[in-house]
Amino acid sequence: MSFQLTILGTGSATPVLTRNPTAHYLHIEQDGYLIDCGEGTQNQLLRYKLRSTRLKYIFITHLHGDHYFGLIGLISTLNMHRRTDDLWIFGPKGLAEIITIQLKYSDAWLNFKVHFIETETEKTYQLFENECVTVTTIPLVHRVPCCGFLIKEKRGKRKLRKEVLPADLSIDEIKSLKEGYDILDENGQLKYSNATLTKPEVEPKSYAFCSDTLFHEPIIEIVRGVDLLYHEATFLKDLTARATQTCHSTAAQAAEIAERAKVKKLVIGHYSSRYKDLEPFLLEAKKIFENTILSTEGLTLDI
Amino acid sequence: MSFQLTILGTGSATPVLTRNPTAHYLHIEQDGYLIDCGEGTQNQLLRYKLRSTRLKYIFITHLHGDHYFGLIGLISTLNMHRRTDDLWIFGPKGLAEIITIQLKYSDAWLNFKVHFIETETEKTYQLFENECVTVTTIPLVHRVPCCGFLIKEKRGKRKLRKEVLPADLSIDEIKSLKEGYDILDENGQLKYSNATLTKPEVEPKSYAFCSDTLFHEPIIEIVRGVDLLYHEATFLKDLTARATQTCHSTAAQAAEIAERAKVKKLVIGHYSSRYKDLEPFLLEAKKIFENTILSTEGLTLDI
């Protein structure tokens, strides 16, 4: 199953020309998932040739502008492109109102249905599932209601070992095998063992997105063992006091969450505009959690 | 008096990577005036090193996204930069509501006062004046309420001819001269004639901004003789029917307005995303009005 992340923005609230505000695009199977949508995200989708026709689910962490000001523009453009497929938008209270009022005054009647689902940002719960994934909220601590998202593949079906598969299996029997059952004969006796004819699907992948937040220990249990953790790192350690004051994290704190949660890989971002050189972020995080990478604009990662 | 235009966006509703949505920045004396503010305008201000601390007046023609989706981001950034100076925002009904609701949910209390002034888009009237300019509305015909803006310098004071100025003039006498009066002696007799000691200020400059609109003849009288007319030209002449259907204009129609209004110079823009090559716009317009130029991103014009 394809599970690919493209990072569309690495900056934080104050705009700089070299960084776009937060937006992460996930391509899972045939569908596009967007997490956060700062101003200019639709241009970033264009720039990295991510087809917005595939975009089906949008998750907004919180209502600070660098995480959602691009949403109304993206929706308007989808409409101009004559989209007819439904779109699901998950976000905190207020988001639906903000989008709806702007559509009203532009006299734009959408050709497609938008399903707004309000997130409860203060508890962790399964927000959404489809055939491929579940999405669970990650409560974060910020200056306004805010939650991250844990996106987890569902356990896949077992894979047939075609080289040993008997020719006489019916379609129903093949379906049973994929679902993990043995094949029995008419007397209820074992005919073919599942373990012989199938092999396990690869381990389900998982991705956790945590931005913006104070260093917050409860995150650790929720993201434990994920394949890829994105955790904001707005400041370096010497500005821990500033991070605390603004409800943000340092590179060291992001790495501590990754280390204690035993995730497989950490990607950091949401850099304050004061930093030109990002190398110190990487050095600071790697001291605590070796498998850290810096998010950069357009970076694509297979999860 | 300095009166300088910088064009920040030349595109129309559908985003393309090479063009930003509409925004024109005027630098008049010490103040910045922004007309329209599509998504990404704050980045364009950064890119062209236009100091947003100078920005004092924002005029929004209408509530289609490519003309205002960048406004909330710009306001948020001004606030992050600890602005304390008042800001005046002129725009149609709905704009104040849209901005206010977004500030409410981001829990952002502005450090500066915003004066929202609702435009009446269906009549031409003096919307605003300060020491330097008057701003008059230009009713346009579009799919939602929409008006352009005519920005005119006020007639300046007369200039002193320093080379012939007597040394014995009092401050009050100098002030009188600048205001066009002769200087009389204590008997009420002519002491110095104004015509000898002063020369006229240069002719007041004017700039008219018309976007988006159907070809609309009443514009002609309002913009008559302006130094620079910006008129949208979304399509070429062969798509006049499409222009009419979408309440836009062609390059030929923009040029006809310019020609009949006897303006000094025409700049066209708001090109549909379907056009890669803009040369045909220039050719089409120049056939009708020779002194036409194409708007390009970052183009700066002294008016």
Side-chain angles (χ1 to χ4, degrees):
Chain A
M1 181 162 136
S2 67
F3 195 146
Q4 196 175 59
L5 167 70
T6 303
I7 291 172
L8 302 178
T10 64
S12 55
T14 302
V16 285
L17 287 176
T18 49
R19 294 177 203 142
N20 285 272
T22 305
H24 281 204
Y25 182 85
L26 286 166
H27 182 195
I28 305 175
E29 285 291 285
Q30 296 311 308
D31 295 330
Y33 299 66
L34 185 64
I35 311 184
D36 281 348
C37 186
E39 186 172 353
T41 295
Q42 60 172 327
N43 274 359
Q44 291 292 84
L45 288 167
L46 268 180
R47 184 164 287 121
Y48 298 113
K49 299 185 170 42
L50 299 166
R51 287 165 47 195
S52 57
T53 45
R54 283 206 173 139
L55 182 60
K56 207 161 169 182
Y57 309 106
I58 300 177
F59 299 86
I60 302 294
T61 55
H62 66 298
L63 295 188
H64 279 162
D66 55 322
H67 295 260
Y68 88 93
F69 281 166
L71 181 57
I72 179 65
L74 176 58
I75 292 173
S76 303
T77 299
L78 293 175
N79 199 42
M80 275 184 291
H81 288 161
R82 308 196 177 285
R83 180 190 181 99
T84 53
D85 293 341
D86 288 16
L87 181 70
W88 281 261
I89 301 178
F90 303 84
K93 179 177 163 60
L95 186 60
E97 189 180 352
I98 289 168
I99 298 301
T100 306
I101 195 175
Q102 293 186 82
L103 292 173
K104 180 184 108 180
Y105 281 111
S106 71
D107 209 13
W109 300 105
L110 296 184
N111 305 310
F112 59 96
K113 190 164 166 60
V114 176
H115 305 265
F116 283 105
I117 294 101
E118 203 170 291
T119 49
E120 294 177 58
T121 56
E122 296 194 355
K123 62 175 190 183
T124 179
Y125 66 105
Q126 184 177 303
L127 174 65
F128 170 73
E129 69 172 326
N130 60 16
E131 285 199 346
C132 299
V133 299
T134 59
V135 180
T136 303
T137 57
I138 309 170
L140 302 176
V141 179
H142 200 46
R143 305 192 303 277
V144 293
C146 182
C147 69
F149 302 101
L150 167 65
I151 293 158
K152 245 185 169 162
E153 276 182 5
K154 290 185 169 175
R155 182 159 293 278
K157 294 181 175 175
R158 293 184 67 87
K159 258 189 163 158
L160 299 175
R161 297 178 59 196
K162 287 184 183 157
E163 67 282 8
V164 296
L165 215 59
D168 65 344
L169 290 173
S170 71
I171 290 175
D172 280 348
E173 284 171 329
I174 288 177
K175 219 173 139 188
S176 291
L177 281 173
K178 285 183 176 173
E179 282 165 2
Y181 299 106
D182 294 325
I183 305 297
L184 306 181
D185 63 17
E186 55 265 38
N187 303 318
Q189 299 300 307
L190 183 70
K191 188 172 166 197
Y192 300 118
S193 104
N194 193 289
T196 323
L197 298 188
T198 72
K199 51 191 174 187
E201 183 62 274
V202 284
E203 197 62 14
K205 302 292 182 189
S206 53
Y207 171 64
F209 179 94
C210 298
S211 177
D212 303 5
T213 189
L214 204 62
F215 174 76
H216 185 50
E217 291 184 322
I219 293 171
I220 295 166
E221 277 319 307
I222 305 173
V223 306
R224 183 164 298 287
V226 295
D227 292 283
L228 182 64
L229 167 66
Y230 166 77
H231 193 291
E232 70 124 303
T234 307
F235 298 101
L236 290 172
K237 198 166 67 175
D238 61 331
L239 290 184
T240 302
R242 176 85 184 132
T244 305
Q245 183 196 356
T246 57
C247 286
H248 283 299
S249 300
T250 65
Q253 289 172 332
E256 186 182 334
I257 296 285
E259 174 61 26
R260 289 171 59 186
K262 305 287 173 224
V263 306
K264 299 211 176 66
K265 189 189 270 215
L266 169 68
V267 56
I268 53 176
H270 199 266
Y271 316 113
S272 160
S273 63
R274 76 189 63 207
Y275 301 104
K276 301 284 168 284
D277 177 19
L278 301 177
E279 221 35 44
F281 280 82
L282 192 59
L283 292 175
E284 180 176 305
K286 271 178 169 286
K287 268 193 204 157
I288 296 164
F289 185 76
E290 171 56 30
N291 200 8
T292 302
I293 58 169
L294 292 176
S295 62
T296 54
E297 310 275 312
L299 175 70
T300 292
L301 298 167
D302 281 308
I303 298 174
Chain B
M1 183 161 134
S2 68
F3 195 145
Q4 196 177 58
L5 167 68
T6 303
I7 291 171
L8 302 177
T10 64
S12 56
T14 302
V16 286
L17 286 177
T18 50
R19 295 176 202 143
N20 284 272
T22 305
H24 280 204
Y25 181 86
L26 287 165
H27 181 195
I28 305 176
E29 287 288 287
Q30 295 311 308
D31 295 330
Y33 299 66
L34 185 66
I35 311 184
D36 282 348
C37 185
E39 187 173 351
T41 295
Q42 60 172 329
N43 274 359
Q44 291 293 83
L45 288 168
L46 267 180
R47 184 164 287 121
Y48 298 113
K49 299 185 173 41
L50 299 165
R51 286 165 47 195
S52 58
T53 45
R54 282 206 172 139
L55 182 60
K56 206 160 168 180
Y57 309 106
I58 301 176
F59 299 86
I60 301 294
T61 56
H62 66 298
L63 295 188
H64 278 162
D66 55 322
H67 295 260
Y68 89 93
F69 281 166
L71 181 56
I72 179 64
L74 175 59
I75 293 173
S76 304
T77 299
L78 293 176
N79 199 41
M80 274 185 291
H81 287 161
R82 308 196 175 286
R83 180 191 182 99
T84 53
D85 293 341
D86 288 16
L87 181 71
W88 280 262
I89 301 178
F90 304 83
K93 182 177 160 59
L95 186 60
E97 189 181 350
I98 288 168
I99 299 300
T100 306
I101 195 176
Q102 293 186 82
L103 291 174
K104 180 185 107 179
Y105 281 111
S106 70
D107 208 12
W109 300 104
L110 297 184
N111 306 310
F112 59 96
K113 191 166 167 56
V114 176
H115 305 265
F116 283 106
I117 295 102
E118 203 170 292
T119 50
E120 295 177 57
T121 58
E122 296 194 355
K123 63 176 190 181
T124 178
Y125 66 105
Q126 184 177 304
L127 174 64
F128 170 72
E129 70 173 324
N130 59 16
E131 285 198 345
C132 299
V133 299
T134 60
V135 180
T136 304
T137 56
I138 309 171
L140 302 176
V141 180
H142 200 46
R143 305 191 303 278
V144 293
C146 183
C147 69
F149 303 101
L150 169 63
I151 294 159
K152 245 186 169 162
E153 277 183 1
K154 289 185 169 174
R155 182 158 293 279
K157 295 180 176 175
R158 292 183 69 84
K159 256 190 166 157
L160 299 176
R161 297 177 59 198
K162 287 183 183 158
E163 66 282 9
V164 297
L165 213 59
D168 66 344
L169 290 173
S170 70
I171 289 174
D172 279 350
E173 285 171 330
I174 288 177
K175 219 173 138 188
S176 291
L177 282 172
K178 285 182 175 173
E179 281 166 3
Y181 298 107
D182 294 324
I183 304 298
L184 308 181
D185 64 17
E186 55 265 36
N187 304 317
Q189 300 300 307
L190 182 72
K191 188 173 163 195
Y192 300 117
S193 103
N194 192 288
T196 323
L197 299 188
T198 71
K199 49 193 176 186
E201 183 59 274
V202 284
E203 197 62 16
K205 302 292 183 190
S206 53
Y207 170 65
F209 179 95
C210 298
S211 176
D212 302 5
T213 188
L214 204 61
F215 174 76
H216 185 50
E217 291 185 320
I219 293 171
I220 295 167
E221 278 320 306
I222 304 173
V223 307
R224 184 163 297 286
V226 294
D227 292 283
L228 182 63
L229 168 66
Y230 167 78
H231 194 291
E232 70 122 304
T234 308
F235 298 101
L236 289 172
K237 198 165 67 174
D238 61 331
L239 290 183
T240 302
R242 176 85 184 131
T244 305
Q245 183 196 356
T246 57
C247 287
H248 283 298
S249 299
T250 66
Q253 290 172 330
E256 185 183 334
I257 297 284
E259 173 62 26
R260 288 170 61 187
K262 304 289 175 224
V263 307
K264 300 208 176 65
K265 189 188 270 214
L266 169 67
V267 57
I268 53 177
H270 200 265
Y271 316 115
S272 160
S273 64
R274 77 189 63 206
Y275 301 105
K276 302 283 168 286
D277 177 18
L278 301 176
E279 221 37 42
F281 281 82
L282 192 60
L283 294 174
E284 181 175 304
K286 271 177 168 289
K287 269 193 203 158
I288 297 164
F289 184 76
E290 171 57 29
N291 199 10
T292 301
I293 58 170
L294 292 176
S295 62
T296 54
E297 310 276 311
L299 176 69
T300 293
L301 298 167
D302 280 308
I303 297 175

